[in-house]
């Protein structure tokens, strides 16, 4: 990706769009190299579309009456906006394999757990946090990873841990993990956009300058 201009980012989102908002806020900093050029959603009621409109960014609900038609629309709309990088920010559908291949090394996802634990089909939002609490694990967190043809199985870019507290509910754990997501996703997207992290031909994720990788941290109860 050329650094002569800002890197064009398309965001896919199915929900309220708080991670999208974190990306929008980050992109407005003078030091950021990313520009969000289009927001796409599979749900007309998605709050992410409203956030895009409020920020002056084109937001489109995927047209089509069937899954196949919407998948075809997704490919066309990404191509039309000349996206350099695609970000899944709470997008619940599996991205079609041809799109994953076309954007290999340029398509990333945020997941509300420490992959490879608590990932896969059906593991999103509250479902993840309920599963974490049922299993009794002591640490959860968030993961940004390159997207592969399977749910939540691409190479990991960044992870930040979040403690699971004795009195946690799915809602309280979700709130602390989401706070981490809002910090983690923009950092990871910027790193991919600027070439500080790349997907190698052998499938490995490589940081060009290890010192550029943000330090992990543990959020306190108050966070």
């Amino acid at each position: 990706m050329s650094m002569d201009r800002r890197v064009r980012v398309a965001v896919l989102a199915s929900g309220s769009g708080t991670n999208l908002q974190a990306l929008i806020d980050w992109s407005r900093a003078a030091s950021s190299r990313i520009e969000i050029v289009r927001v796409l959603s599979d749900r007309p009621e998605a709050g992410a579309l409203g956030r895009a409109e409020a920020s002056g960014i084109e937001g489109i609900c995927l047209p089509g009456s069937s899954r196949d038609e919407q998948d075809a629309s997704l490919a066309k709309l990404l191509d039309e906006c000349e996206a350099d990088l695609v970000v899944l920010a709470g997008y619940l559908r599996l991205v079609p394999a041809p799109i994953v291949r076309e954007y290999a090394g340029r398509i990333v996802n945020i997941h509300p757990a420490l992959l490879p634990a608590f990932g896969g089909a059906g593991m999103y939002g509250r479902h993840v946090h309920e599963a974490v609490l049922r299993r009794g694990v002591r640490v959860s967190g968030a993961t940004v990873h390159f997207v592969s043809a399977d749910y939540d199985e691409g190479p990991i870019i960044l992870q930040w841990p979040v403690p699971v507290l004795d009195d946690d509910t799915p809602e309280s754990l979700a709130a602390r993990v989401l706070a981490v997501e809002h910090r983690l996703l923009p950092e990871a997207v910027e790193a991919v956009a600027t070439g500080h992290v790349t997907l190698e031909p052998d499938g490995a994720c490589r940081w060009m300058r290890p010192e550029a990788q943000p330090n992990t941290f543990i959020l306190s109860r108050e966070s």
Side-chain angles (χ1 to χ4, degrees), residues 9-13 20 24 36-41 48-49 51-53 57-61:
V9 176
V11 179
L12 312 186
L20 165 65
I24 292 172
I36 301 173
V37 296
R38 181 170 281 179
V39 174
L40 301 172
S41 181
L49 294 175
R51 290 179 186 273
E53 181 180 3
I57 299 168
E58 184 179 31
I60 302 174
C61 180

Side-chain angles (χ1 to χ4, degrees), residues 28 40 45 48 74 80 90 111 117 128 133 175 201 208:
R28 288 175 170 168
L40 301 172
E45 73 279 8
L74 175 59
E80 283 179 354
H111 184 75
V128 174
L133 294 176
M208 304 301 287

Side-chain angles (χ1 to χ4, degrees), residues 4 11 15-16 34 45 50 74 81 83-84 94 98 101 125-126 133 141 143 147 155 169 172 176 180 182 191 198:
D4 296 334
V11 179
S16 64
I34 68 172
E45 73 279 8
L74 175 59
C81 72
D84 300 307
L94 188 66
R101 288 194 295 270
R126 183 185 176 92
L133 294 176
T143 302
V147 173
T169 63
S172 64
R176 289 202 314 285
V180 165
H182 292 166
T198 58

Side-chain angles (χ1 to χ4, degrees), residues 89-180:
Y91 189 66
L92 302 184
R93 286 189 174 180
L94 188 66
V95 177
I99 294 178
V100 173
R101 288 194 295 270
E102 180 178 354
Y103 289 92
R106 299 183 294 128
I107 179 169
V108 302
N109 179 52
I110 181 83
H111 184 75
L114 295 179
L115 295 175
F118 304 105
M123 294 299 287
Y124 61 89
R126 183 185 176 92
H127 299 294
V128 174
H129 306 302
E130 288 176 338
V132 166
L133 294 176
R134 280 197 305 269
R135 289 292 299 272
V137 300
R138 306 312 300 165
V139 178
S140 189
T143 302
V144 180
H145 63 94
F146 286 111
V147 173
S148 70
D150 299 305
Y151 279 114
D152 305 325
E153 292 193 6
I156 291 170
I157 299 170
L158 282 177
Q159 292 182 305
W160 283 2
V162 172
V164 179
L165 306 177
D166 291 339
D167 59 352
D168 261 331
T169 63
E171 292 77 16
S172 64
L173 179 57
R176 289 202 314 285
V177 171
L178 189 60
V180 165

